[in-house]
Structure formats: structure tokens, C-alpha cells
């Protein structure tokens, strides 16, 4: 039996059942209802590839419509798909990402800016975190998901999610305080 909280969740469940039977109009309603949240999350977690990832996440949601069991919010299920697509994308670009991280570390370590400079903006803070920390903070603080929901979206145990949030917050606080330890 699906675990739903009523209202929109029940509507999403009913729509998803119709989508599993090939109902394009029902899928269009789900996309319209959840596209903004999915894109906003992926924009923070993945950056410039967010639109492509969100589009691919909804394509996969259509293809796998029968896999949604209603155990949690539909938006969380689609965000989980988007998150896994992002991880897959990163795995295929591992060498390029490693080079970019090394370049960023060198640039940060030689940055002569003092702690008295202007406050660090959210995007710069998030860019200095690992993708998992960035996604955890974005889901919990930027989008208001509970730790349990964020753990389900990212496909990690609850304890791991909580650790990611704590580490990410600690790194961000150090950067705000003027330390250059990403």
C-alpha cells in the first residue's frame, strides 16, 4: 500500500497510474506540477546541465512510469531520477572533473583575497562543496525537504545524508568566516 499524505500526493498517485497506462495528458499534468522543483534542485546540484538533466529525468519518468509505487512524493521520485542521471554524467566525465578540481584547488590556494572581502555568495559556496554535499544542502535548506526525503532522493542512508549536511555546512561556514578550506 502506498504511503501518501493526501491531497496533491493522492492526485499524483492517480495521475502516475494513468501515466503507467500510457496517458500522455496525465503525464503532462505531472510535468507541469513538478518541473519547477526538479529544475531548481538540479540547477543547484548540477549547475549548467540542469535543463538537460531535468528533461532527461522526465523522459525516464515516462519510460519507467510503472516503477513509481507512491511511497513518497512524486517530485522526490523524479528528483531521484535526476540525481542519478547527474551521478552517471559525472562518472562518464571523471577525468575532466578531476582536472577541474585540481585547477580550482590551485586557484583557491593562491587567491590573495583577505577575509575582509565581500561576503561569499551561495553559488560560490555550493561550487566549493562536493556534489553530494551540494545536493544535500540544496534539498534540505534550499528546497525544504526533510532529511529522510532528501536521503531517499539521493539514494543514500539517512545517516549518510545527515553527515553530508553537517560536512557541507561546516565547509560553508569556514568559507564565510574567510578560511579558504573547501
Amino acid at each position: 500500500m502506498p504511503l501518501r499524505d493526501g491531497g496533491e500526493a493522492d492526485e499524483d498517485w492517480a495521475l502516475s497510474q494513468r501515466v503507467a497506462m500510457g496517458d500522455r495528458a496525465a503525464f503532462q499534468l505531472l510535468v507541469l506540477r513538478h518541473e519547477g522543483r526538479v529544475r531548481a534542485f538540479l540547477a543547484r546540484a548540477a549547475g549548467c546541465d540542469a535543463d538537460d538533466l531535468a528533461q532527461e529525468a522526465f523522459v525516464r519518468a515516462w519510460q519507467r512510469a510503472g516503477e513509481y509505487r507512491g511511497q513518497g512524493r512524486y517530485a522526490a521520485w523524479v528528483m531521484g531520477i535526476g540525481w542519478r542521471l547527474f551521478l552517471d554524467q559525472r562518472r562518464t566525465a571523471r577525468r575532466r572533473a578531476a582536472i577541474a578540481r585540481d585547477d580550482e584547488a590551485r586557484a583557491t590556494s593562491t587567491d590573495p583575497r583577505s577575509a575582509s572581502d565581500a561576503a561569499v555568495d551561495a553559488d560560490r559556496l555550493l561550487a566549493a562543496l562536493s556534489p553530494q554535499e551540494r545536493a544535500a544542502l540544496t534539498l534540505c535548506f534550499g528546497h525544504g525537504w526533510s532529511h529522510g526525503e532528501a536521503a531517499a532522493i539521493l539514494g543514500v542512508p539517512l545517516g549518510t545524508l545527515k553527515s553530508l549536511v553537517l560536512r557541507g555546512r561546516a565547509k560553508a561556514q569556514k568559507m564565510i568566516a574567510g578560511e579558504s578550506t573547501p
Side-chain angles (χ1 to χ4, degrees), residues 13-172:
W13 172 249
L15 288 170
S16 72
Q17 294 300 294
R18 290 174 40 200
V19 172
M21 294 184 287
D23 187 336
R24 290 178 185 267
F27 185 65
Q28 184 177 14
L29 289 172
L30 286 170
V31 171
L32 288 172
R33 181 177 284 172
H34 300 293
E35 180 181 27
R37 293 174 94 186
V38 172
R39 285 185 190 278
F41 163 66
L42 291 171
R44 286 287 190 184
C48 63
D49 296 329
D51 288 336
D52 292 339
L53 286 170
Q55 183 175 356
E56 183 62 23
F58 280 106
V59 167
R60 297 269 175 99
W62 169 260
Q63 294 168 341
R64 299 175 180 170
E67 294 177 19
Y68 175 63
R69 303 287 179 227
Q71 296 175 325
R73 293 191 252 177
Y74 187 83
W77 182 68
V78 176
M79 283 185 193
I81 292 171
W83 174 249
R84 288 184 295 281
L85 287 168
F86 170 65
L87 292 179
D88 289 345
Q89 180 186 60
R90 286 193 52 85
R91 282 185 199 104
T92 60
R94 183 168 280 160
R95 184 178 300 159
R96 183 179 49 194
I99 291 168
R101 280 192 306 271
D102 290 344
D103 290 346
E104 184 178 323
R106 279 192 293 276
T108 302
S109 65
T110 60
D111 192 351
R113 287 179 269 180
S114 69
S116 64
D117 285 10
V120 181
D121 68 346
D123 289 337
R124 182 166 169 230
L125 285 173
L126 290 172
L129 302 176
S130 74
Q132 291 81 9
E133 291 165 344
R134 185 169 53 241
L137 289 178
T138 298
L139 286 170
C140 293
F141 297 113
H143 293 274
W145 293 93
S146 71
H147 285 147
E149 291 169 324
I153 290 169
L154 298 180
V156 299
L158 180 59
T160 301
L161 185 276
K162 288 180 179 183
S163 295
L164 289 168
V165 168
L166 287 173
R167 274 196 314 269
R169 282 182 67 186
K171 287 179 182 179

